[in-house]
Every structure is written in C-alpha cells, then in structure tokens.
C-alpha cells in the first residue's frame, strides 16, 4: 500500500510538470518532506564556530560563495572572538597575487596565524600550486593554531583534493525585501544616522537607498524580466552611496538630485551594468528613490502602499517598520506584473529538473524500458528521416541574382548558405552516431556527448555551435528548424513573401540591413541617414493588405510580446492578462525613413526585440548584445509612461522556449 501511495504521489508530480510547471518545486518539497523527512528540505543555520570546531590545522575551510553572500564579516567576527583578529591575513587572489599568498601561507604555518584566500575562482592558473601547498601541510609540520580559509564561487578548476579534505560551508544571502532591508540597517550605525546636517531628508533618502539596493538585488529572481544579465550588487555598493549622500547633504544647501542620480545610477551601481537596457531599467528604478517626492510622508514606492520611507525617527524606529513588512513581497513592489511570479517559478523548476537530469546515469533501461543505445538509435533515425536535402545554392543564385535594386536576393542566398552548413552538420552527425552504435565507427567523445544530449532531449553542442540561438528542447528545435527551411523553400518557389516570418531568419540583422538598403538605393539616400519607423497593423489593415507588398520597407510577423498585452481595439500596450505570459503580435510594418522625418516624440515605448527569452548574449561590435535584434516603438495609452513598461521588463521575442 505504501509503495502504491508513493508511486501515486510521484505520478502527480509528473502530471503537474506537464500542466503547471511553476508549481513543481513546492510539490517536490512536499513529496520529499512526506517521504523521507522535513530535515532534507530545511537548510541548516550557518554556524561558523561549529565549522571551526570540526577543522584541524591541516584541513582547509572552504566557503562556497553564492551571489550576494559575503562571509568575510562572519570570519572577522570569529577571529576577534577567538583572539585571532591581529593574526588573520587576507589575500584577494588575482593577477600577481600568487607569490603573496604563498609567502603568507608559509609564514602562517610556522607562527600559527590564519590565512584567508578570497575568490579562488579568479586564479584558475594558480589552483595547481594551491593544491600542492595544501598537500604539504601536515599535522607534524604545522602549528596547531594555523587555519587556511578559502572562498570561491563554484568552479571546475577548484582542486578536488581540497574539497575532499576540507570543511565545506556556504552562506545563502538574505532573500526578500524585508531580509535585505534588515541586513542593510544592521550595517548602519545609529550614531552615523543622526550625524547629518539635514536629518529629515537624510533619513528619508537613506531608507530610499536601502530600498533601492534591495530592489535591484531581488529583481534577479525574475530572470530576464528583472535583468538581462544577473548582477552581483553588493553591500560596498550601498555603503559608498550612503557615504556620498551624507557628504553632499552636508556640503550643499539644496539637495543635488541630478548629481546623486548620476553617481548612483551611472557609477556606483551603474558601473556594474554592461547591458544598455539594464542600465535603462536601473535608472528607472532609481528615479523612484532620488526624487523630491520622497520627502513627502504620503509618497509610496508601489501601488499597494505597503512600502514607503517612514517619517523621521531614530534607527530603531526604521528597523521596527521593516520588521512589520511582509516576509514575501509581490512582484508589484518591483514594478512587475503578477505574472512575473509564474515566470520566476517556471525558471526555478527548469533549473531543478535540468540539474536532476544531468545526474542521470547512462545505464540500461530497467524493466520495461529501452537501453540508452536503443533510445539514441531510434531518435537519430527518426530525426535523420525528417531532414530535407541541402539547398542548391548555384540554382538559387541564378534565380535570385545580385541586383542593385533588390538586396533581399543577397540576403536569401546568405541565409541558405548558413542553413546548409547547419544541415550538413546535423545530417552527418546523425549518420555517424548510428554507425557508432552499431560498432562500425569509433564512438568519439563528441558523438557520445551528442548522444547524451539527445537522450536528455537537449540540442547537442555540436549543432548549437553552428546554429542560430535557440532555447528549445530537442523536439521543439527540430520542428522549428523544419519550419524555417519550409519558409525559405516557399521563398525560392514563389518569390519574396509579402509578409516575412522574422523568426525564421538565421541572422536577423542581415534582413534588416537589406530592407534599409533597398530603401536607401531607391531614394538615393546614404544608408547611415536611414532610420526605422514602425506601424502595428490592425485586424482590418491586415485583411486589406493580405497578399500585398508594402510600398517601402517590409511587413513582418512571428514576434511574441512578454510582460504586457496588446490592445487590438486601441492599438496600444495593455496590462497582461492573468497567467498569459506571452502574446503573439500582429503584423508590424518596418518602415525605413530619413532620420530627419522620423517623429521620435510619439507617445510610445521603445520595446527591445530579442532572439530568445534569455535576452542576454555576448557584447558585439555594435555595442549591443548578440541576442538583441532592434528596438520597436510601440504605442502606449496616455496613462502609461516609458518607465512603467521599462520596470515591467516588457520586450518582444522572435521565438518561445517550447
């Protein structure tokens, strides 16, 4: 009976994974708790003293870092309690710090000091030396008071022997606005808070900065809706900003809002931000804090009215207010829609299941299951049978020659060459892996890695290196690839389509450049003086223009709106409907114009378009992410502003993850 109940509970998890992926993590926690005990889901409290008691002079103590966590404060406090404050040497590893660290360890081994080597993950080339140094440290040749403390982010280069022989610890940073605000006020001295020449405004702005610090850190949990790139904003960022705030309020009679905004948004915090869309979001969030309105007691940080800068009081009164805040805040405090919670939960589920899948053994299938080789053979054979022949580039070049007035011919040929390269790798690798399973060729490490990925329904790295960006699982990727090939085959057979499926392009920028180039050549305008104007077509306009080419520019479809909804009746951005994460956009007219004739003052949101939902990519020579396509100005309602949609994280995607 117990076995049947256990199987039934696990089957519920499988159904939940299919229907409501955002609810899987809480359900897994409940399953673990009811099956083997609650202690396996409750993280133990961090006890540095207990870890020290478990250590010996020859066993290193390793802090496994997580973003936002700083164990140095705890370590310094422990050193003071044990009388080792003056005998602790700290070295932050990096270029040229290896010899300094070696000398510090050699001296500390003899004299019984403590040595802390910070950020070992930044000194990959020196890890072999560190491993040798720790192997030479034994109980016989080492002072009994000596301790070697190491801090490192998870890294493949970190020596395994140190992990095996050392005491491992980790600190989870405070989660949630309430915990973050309490942590910030714990680091603020009560006397310092009373020492400003303008105590009223100063205390309001100090709370505002702590709120801003908590906001920019907690937005990370929403993934790309929060930040395109997750940044590790730290306590020193807040500390230096608070010191600057006090300095400027003591120095100037009037509060220099513009200066404070610049130093905080462009230097202290903005200095960490490498994506221009993230910088835009950071400045939008900061504008809610560094504003004269914050000095008004009725000012609120979010529509709920729960979060605000309290009236002037002492340090304890601010802590008391923070303690009254809810433990779990809603997305509205960050300016996000309630749907952002669903997005965050789905990402957490995907991370958990991806990790679990990576631990799966490559063994037999067990009772009623197929072996790894049989699964791979069937999968490879099925995909290979669906792959079409390569495009005949020479034949296409004859039908679509290079023409001065039609750049799309060149775009078509270049796209087919890219897809041919991908098709060639896919078909060859599928053929080779089937031969390897039969023992006719050697199963190389690349083919084995490809097989593991395919059985785990992931796109093999061998394909991804020559492919367009995609986050789809293997089945969705193959289907998407076939649809793209069909799009270009229809182009070859019937000529350029009236509406381009922008999601189908391998390199989208070539299509955009071709569209601008056609316009520039038609009207003999330098292409660097040509900019974009945009029009989202209504249903009536779509019907009217069906089958027709626009006079200039291109009609495109295939875009998905994330973080907002599209009001078809009024042709403006609208709030998302509950549980609707992505919305297909109507046909959009990409209309090139002379830059001087483009009206940039239209009440619209400058909406970025990305190739995948990840949004982040490498920084390209254009200054943008390789995932970024272009920005499209979308009309918005009179009651909304750019800042509203920026904080919502609204963007358009050329493809979904499924």
């Amino acid at each position: 009976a117990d076995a049947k109940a256990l199987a039934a509970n696990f089957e519920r998890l499988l159904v939940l994974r299919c229907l409501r992926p955002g609810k899987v993590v809480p359900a897994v926690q409940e399953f673990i708790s009811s099956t083997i005990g609650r202690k396996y889901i409750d993280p133990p409290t961090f006890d540095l003293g207990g870890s020290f008691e478990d250590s010996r002079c020859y066993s290193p103590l390793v802090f496994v870092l997580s973003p936002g966590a700083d164990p140095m404060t705890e370590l310094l406090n422990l050193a003071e309690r044990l009388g080792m404050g003056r005998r602790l040497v700290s070295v932050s590893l990096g270029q040229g710090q290896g010899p300094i660290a070696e000398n510090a360890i050699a001296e500390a081994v003899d004299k019984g000091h403590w040595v802390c080597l910070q950020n070992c993950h930044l000194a990959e080339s020196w890890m072999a030396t560190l491993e040798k140094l720790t192997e030479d440290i034994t109980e016989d040749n080492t002072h009994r008071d000596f301790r070697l403390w190491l801090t490192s982010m998870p890294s493949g280069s970190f020596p395994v022997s140190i992990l095996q022989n050392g005491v491992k610890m980790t600190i989870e940073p405070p989660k949630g606005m309430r915990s973050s605000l309490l942590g910030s006020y714990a680091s603020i001295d009560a006397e310092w808070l009373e020492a400003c020449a303008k105590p009223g405004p100063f205390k309001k702005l100090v709370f505002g900065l702590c709120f801003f610090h908590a906001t920019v850190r907690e937005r990370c949990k929403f993934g790309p809706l929060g930040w395109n790139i997750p940044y590790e904003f730290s306590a020193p960022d807040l500390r230096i900003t608070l010191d600057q705030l006090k300095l400027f309020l003591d120095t100037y009679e009037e509060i220099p809002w513009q200066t404070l905004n610049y130093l905080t948004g462009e230097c202290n915090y903005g200095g960490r931000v490498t994506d221009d869309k993230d910088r835009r979001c950071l400045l939008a969030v900061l504008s809610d804090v560094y504003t004269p309105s914050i000095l008004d007691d009725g000012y609120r940080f979010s529509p709920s009215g729960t979060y605000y800068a309290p009236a002037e009081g002492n340090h304890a009164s601010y802590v008391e207010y923070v303690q009254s805040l809810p433990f779990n805040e809603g997305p509205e405090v960050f300016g996000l829609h309630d749907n952002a919670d669903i997005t965050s939960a789905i990402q957490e589920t995907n991370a958990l299941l991806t990790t679990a899948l990576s631990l799966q053994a490559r063994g037999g299938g067990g009772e009623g299951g197929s072996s790894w080789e049989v699964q791979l053979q069937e999968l490879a054979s099925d995909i290979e049978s669906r792959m079409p022949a390569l495009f005949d580039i020479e034949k296409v070049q004859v039908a679509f020659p290079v023409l001065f007035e039609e750049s799309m011919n060149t775009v078509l040929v270049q796209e087919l060459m890219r897809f041919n390269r991908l098709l060639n790798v896919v078909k060859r690798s599928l053929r080779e892996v089937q031969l390897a399973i039969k023992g006719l060729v050697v199963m190389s490490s690349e083919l084995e890695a490809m097989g593991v990925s395919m059985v785990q329904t992931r796109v093999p790295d061998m394909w991804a290196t020559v492919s367009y960006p995609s986050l789809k699982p293997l089945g969705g990727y193959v289907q998407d690839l076939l649809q793209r090939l069909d799009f270009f085959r229809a182009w070859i057979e019937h000529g350029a389509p009236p509406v381009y499926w922008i999601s189908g392009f391998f390199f989208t920028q070539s299509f955009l450049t071709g569209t601008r180039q056609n316009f520039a050549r038609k009207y003999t305008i330098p292409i660097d003086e040509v900019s974009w104007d945009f029009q989202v077509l209504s249903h009536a306009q779509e019907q009217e223009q069906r089958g027709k080419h626009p006079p200039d520019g291109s009609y495109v479809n295939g875009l998905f709106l994330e973080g907002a909804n599209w009001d078809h009746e009024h042709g403006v951005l609208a709030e998302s409907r509950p549980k609707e994460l992505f919305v297909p956009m109507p046909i959009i007219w990409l209309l090139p114009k002379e830059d001087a004739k483009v009206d940039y003052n239209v009440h619209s949101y400058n909406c970025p378009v990305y190739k995948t939902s990840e949004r982040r990519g490498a920084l390209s020579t254009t200054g943008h992410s390789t995932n970024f396509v272009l920005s499209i100005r979308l009309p918005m309602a009179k009651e909304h502003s750019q800042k509203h949609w920026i904080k919502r994280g609204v963007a358009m995607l050329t493809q979904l993850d499924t």
Side-chain angles (χ1 to χ4, degrees), residues 601-605 634-642:
N601 297 319
V602 176
H603 189 63
S604 61
Y605 168 62
L634 297 178
M636 55 185 178
K638 292 181 180 178
E639 65 270 19
H640 291 142
S641 63
Q642 275 254 26

Side-chain angles (χ1 to χ4, degrees), residues 128-138 141 161-162 165:
T129 305
L130 175 63
E131 185 174 21
K132 186 176 184 306
L133 289 173
T134 56
E135 289 174 352
D136 293 340
I137 297 173
T138 64
N141 64 7
S161 62
I162 296 179
N165 300 325

Side-chain angles (χ1 to χ4, degrees), residues 402-407 517-518 521-522:
V402 176
L403 296 175
F404 178 82
E405 64 275 8
E406 186 49 88
S407 298
Q517 201 167 57
N518 278 348
R521 289 175 174 176
K522 179 179 179 181

Side-chain angles (χ1 to χ4, degrees), residues 442-461:
V442 176
M443 177 71 81
S444 64
S445 58
E446 291 84 2
L447 289 177
E448 185 174 2
M450 170 187 166
V452 171
S453 297
M454 290 180 64
V455 172
Q456 294 178 355
T457 71
R458 293 186 289 110
V459 178
D461 291 340

Side-chain angles (χ1 to χ4, degrees), residues 176-178 180-181 184 207-222 226-227 231 233 269 281-282 284-286 288-289 301-302 307 329-336 647:
M177 295 291 291
R178 182 179 181 275
S180 186
L181 285 167
S184 296
F207 185 88
L209 277 178
C210 292
F211 182 85
F212 166 75
H213 179 73
T215 300
V216 296
R217 285 180 57 173
E218 292 301 312
R219 280 185 73 97
C220 289
K221 70 183 180 184
F222 297 104
W227 302 112
Y231 302 100
F233 299 111
Y269 284 84
C281 181
L282 181 81
V285 174
L286 182 62
D288 289 337
V289 172
F301 291 125
S302 69
Y307 297 87
E329 67 282 344
E332 60 92 23
V333 71
F334 306 101
L336 294 163
K647 290 165 65 178

Side-chain angles (χ1 to χ4, degrees), residues 474-515:
L474 181 61
Y477 176 85
V478 171
Q479 187 63 34
D480 178 61
L481 174 58
L482 294 175
Q483 288 176 353
R484 292 174 186 242
L485 298 176
D486 288 342
F487 167 68
F488 283 101
R489 190 167 288 105
W491 187 341
I492 294 169
E493 294 175 0
H494 306 295
V499 179
Y500 291 95
W501 182 40
I502 196 170
S503 311
F505 287 94
F506 198 114
F507 185 59
T508 319
Q509 277 76 9
S510 67
F511 163 70
L512 297 176
T513 301
T515 302

